[in-house]
Amino acid sequence: MKLTLQIWRQAGDTDSGHYETFEVDQLDAGMSILEMLDRLNEQLLHEGKEAIAYDSECRESICGTCGINVNGRPHGPQPHVTSCMQRLRSFHDGATVRIEPLRAGAFPVKKDLVTDRGGLDRIIAAGGTVSLMAGTAPDSDAISVGHDQVERALDFAACIGCGACVSACPNGAAVLFTGAKITHLTMLPIPAIERNERATYMVAAMEDEFGPCSLYGECVLVCPQNVPLSAIGSLNKERLRSLFHPRI
Amino acid sequence: MSVTPDTGATPVTLNKPELPPQFRVSARRQKRLPNWGLKAVMAITGVIGALFLAMHLFGNLKVYTGAEHFNKYAYWLRHVGEPLLPANAVVWVLRVVLAGCIVLHIVSAAILWVRGRKARGKFSAKRRGGLRSFEATLMPLTGICIALFVVFHIADLTLGVQPLASETFQEPTDTAAFAYQNLIASFSRPWSAAIYIVMMVLLSIHVSHGLYTVVSDLGALGKRLRAVLITIGGATAVFILLGNASIPIAVLIGVLS
Ligand code: HEM
Ligand code: SF4
Ligand code: FES
């Protein structure tokens, strides 16, 4: 198949950027969008031009490194799928596809499709580690965590930190991400000990760089890990709760 | 420091090293007016507003019990608690509380709106029809319309400011109120009735999304609890819409006169 690509080119963080149009031919519907970019880059290098910069790592939906806006949608047209797993069969032969970086005020573009998503790391860092002197190893059954509870915690722990939710949000908020990170720790007994401190610091770091939530519900449509909207209510609960239970 | 975990199991000692400075959240980074605080203010003032609307609806529906009863209710509102309280005391308390809520609500909304635009950056997000995207997008617009409507409504039926009020507007006296006559006179003007009907639609959109937001802002997270409260919010909005909007319609078609 053949596609016309309008791709965002930006030389560096001070450059204002523009779209550049490319034609790519002999594509396979089973290729991923990133493989298509690889094909295009080969073509560009062959012509002695500069390749398009973009991020990826695992290419199997587990690391959260990839992430581009395809036709205005974070990750691409298929819901709940990372860019690295989006297949070209979503497009008609001969279609025009617009590819740009994950847009958000807090994600400055470094080059072409590469953004700096360090703001998300700074939220995580503000939460600190779960660092406890737990003494000798406790009996394996001393603190029981039920199966359902673990499954629920894992629903939130599934977040891969890709930042698609921020880019989808009309307010540029990172509330789904932060809610997922805070909630999975709150649901387990040892990390729950520091829940109030963690909520205070992580929410402060989040609000420092990201916007407020108005509950548009756009984030959950693109989240590749299906993090539920409950993460948002949970984050608000943890922050309000920390007012009444100052632990540390 | 010794801390007992929530499970009540063995005490655990916290031994948390200071974070390296680049990762520490210093006091400077904490916003003086944090978003979660502003959202809580909006939620509380919004709920007070919704409770007021429910009470106001209850009063408005008395219009169907006839002029005498309705005017008596309007008179009672101004004289409730007498002689223990001075005349108009309760009405003034309500006015001050509501005005305070409206100011807090609008100021918080404006700050959050500006912060949202800033965090969004240059490139707007395409709406893909999230769960409540349409209603959320409408919030500032419906909010501004409500603020303008409140001004119009007070000028029309409380203060009798011309030309917004009807020509036959009568001020309440020490012994009687003319709320019924003023209401009929106002709604007999089709443009005024139309404003009231359209505004009730906008108001109920604002309230239905607002009450949904409140649930999440105040920390309810479960799907089931959310569903219950969304239903309550939606039902409140529908009652406000149907109950209030029925009155100008009843006047226009001649059921009330
Ligand atoms: C007077 C003019 C008003 C303006 C300008 C206004 C504006 C807004 C805006 C912009 C939001 C969305 C905030 C966000 O999520 O980012 C909002 C939320 C809300 N509004 Fe209003 N509004 C007004 C009046 C009212 C009234 C009369 C009520 C009473 C029913 C009300 C109830 C609510 C509720 C319950 C929320 C949700 C609060 C939350 O939890 O975030 N508003 N308002
Ligand atoms: S919540 Fe979903 S969309 Fe947001 S960072 Fe985590 S995985 Fe990505
Ligand atoms: S490259 Fe790892 S999730 Fe896409």
Side-chain angles (χ1 to χ4, degrees):
Chain A
M1 69 192 280
K2 183 175 169 181
L3 291 176
T4 305
L5 306 175
Q6 295 174 340
I7 301 185
W8 185 260
R9 300 305 303 260
Q10 188 171 332
D13 34 18
T14 49
D15 183 22
S16 57
H18 64 278
Y19 287 99
E20 198 174 330
T21 306
F22 303 95
E23 305 270 334
V24 196
D25 208 349
Q26 291 181 325
L27 294 165
D28 188 290
M31 287 169 93
S32 75
I33 292 183
L34 300 190
E35 282 163 347
M36 172 189 71
L37 287 176
D38 291 338
R39 168 72 63 84
L40 173 61
N41 277 342
E42 269 171 36
Q43 210 172 295
L44 288 176
L45 290 175
H46 215 75
E47 295 165 14
K49 294 193 188 136
E50 193 175 338
I52 293 155
Y54 69 91
D55 270 329
S56 80
E57 193 70 52
C58 69
R59 301 219 175 186
E60 53 180 357
S61 214
I62 52 175
C63 72
T65 309
C66 63
I68 47 179
N69 273 10
V70 182
N71 288 339
R73 185 178 169 115
H75 281 316
Q78 278 178 277
H80 311 300
V81 176
T82 49
S83 299
C84 56
M85 303 287 275
Q86 297 264 350
R87 304 291 158 191
L88 297 188
R89 64 174 67 90
S90 309
F91 307 109
H92 306 294
D93 192 9
T96 300
V97 180
R98 171 169 280 210
I99 296 182
E100 52 186 327
L102 281 184
R103 301 289 192 194
F107 294 163
V109 176
K110 303 309 281 181
K111 189 170 168 50
D112 298 343
L113 305 176
V114 177
T115 53
D116 175 3
R117 282 167 279 168
L120 299 179
D121 297 336
R122 287 185 285 277
I123 297 176
I124 298 291
T129 50
V130 181
S131 50
L132 299 169
M133 285 276 283
T136 52
D139 282 349
S140 54
D141 295 335
I143 303 176
S144 60
V145 186
H147 175 265
D148 289 355
Q149 182 76 358
V150 172
E151 285 296 330
R152 238 176 285 138
L154 283 173
D155 285 348
F156 294 99
C159 167
I160 54 175
C162 61
C165 46
V166 180
S167 186
C169 176
N171 283 347
V175 179
L176 193 70
F177 166 82
T178 315
K181 295 300 175 197
I182 282 193
T183 307
H184 85 270
L185 292 174
T186 296
M187 287 185 164
L188 300 171
I190 299 292
I193 297 169
E194 292 171 294
R195 64 198 284 186
N196 300 313
E197 189 192 34
R198 191 181 302 118
T200 308
Y201 291 165
M202 287 179 76
V203 169
M206 172 185 86
E207 296 196 344
D208 196 31
E209 299 187 44
F210 297 90
C213 170
S214 292
L215 272 192
Y216 286 88
E218 294 284 350
C219 48
V220 289
L221 295 182
V222 300
C223 174
Q225 295 297 330
N226 262 312
V227 169
L229 204 55
S230 311
I232 293 177
S234 172
L235 179 68
N236 291 325
K237 176 181 160 201
E238 288 302 307
R239 187 59 187 82
L240 290 171
R241 185 186 185 282
S242 66
L243 289 179
F244 301 108
H245 303 263
R247 267 280 179 73
I248 298 167
Chain B
M1 217 178 318
S2 173
V3 183
T4 318
D6 281 345
T7 53
T10 27
V12 188
T13 319
L14 265 185
N15 178 17
K16 207 169 167 72
E18 272 284 282
L19 284 170
Q22 70 270 32
F23 290 138
R24 238 173 271 155
V25 180
S26 63
R28 184 172 47 79
R29 275 181 69 176
Q30 302 243 17
K31 283 192 157 63
R32 177 124 25 103
L33 295 172
N35 297 342
W36 58 269
L38 292 173
K39 292 290 293 188
V41 167
M42 294 211 66
I44 292 165
T45 53
V47 167
I48 294 176
L51 288 175
F52 164 75
L53 288 176
M55 195 182 81
H56 195 7
L57 170 64
F58 173 75
N60 291 347
L61 288 178
K62 284 184 190 286
V63 76
Y64 290 110
T65 61
E68 197 190 340
H69 196 181
F70 189 67
N71 284 342
K72 240 164 86 188
Y73 171 70
Y75 181 82
W76 173 82
L77 264 184
R78 288 162 193 269
H79 297 273
V80 56
E82 271 183 26
L84 209 60
L85 300 171
N88 288 335
V90 169
V91 177
W92 270 109
V93 169
L94 283 177
R95 283 174 184 163
V96 169
V97 170
L98 287 172
C101 284
I102 287 187
V103 169
L104 287 174
H105 195 84
I106 294 181
V107 170
S108 310
I111 297 175
L112 289 169
W113 188 83
V114 169
R115 285 181 183 169
R117 302 286 68 68
K118 223 172 105 191
R120 181 60 239 165
K122 275 200 303 221
F123 297 88
S124 65
K126 226 193 208 168
R127 307 283 199 277
R128 273 161 294 271
L131 183 59
R132 305 290 296 212
S133 204
F134 180 62
E135 292 88 339
T137 310
L138 284 183
M139 282 314 252
L141 184 68
T142 49
I144 291 167
C145 290
I146 294 170
L148 295 175
F149 173 70
V150 168
V151 174
F152 167 69
H153 182 45
I154 292 176
D156 177 21
L157 291 176
T158 307
L159 299 176
V161 179
Q162 298 297 344
L164 297 177
S166 58
E167 279 156 23
T168 55
F169 182 87
Q170 288 169 278
E171 291 263 353
T173 64
D174 285 345
T175 50
F178 306 100
Y180 189 87
Q181 288 75 3
N182 292 340
L183 183 147
I184 301 289
S186 176
F187 290 177
S188 302
R189 303 167 298 172
W191 62 267
S192 165
I195 290 181
Y196 277 90
I197 295 168
V198 170
M199 273 316 303
M200 286 311 117
V201 175
L202 298 185
L203 184 64
S204 46
I205 293 175
H206 195 90
V207 171
S208 73
H209 180 70
L211 291 180
Y212 164 67
T213 321
V214 164
V215 181
S216 174
D217 282 350
L218 296 183
L221 58 151
K223 231 183 178 161
R224 205 179 323 134
L225 184 56
R226 251 192 293 153
V228 170
L229 289 162
I230 289 168
T231 311
I232 295 176
T236 314
V238 168
F239 278 123
I240 291 172
L241 172 64
L242 295 183
N244 279 335
S246 74
I247 299 172
I249 293 173
V251 173
L252 283 182
I253 62 177
V255 175
L256 290 174
S257 59

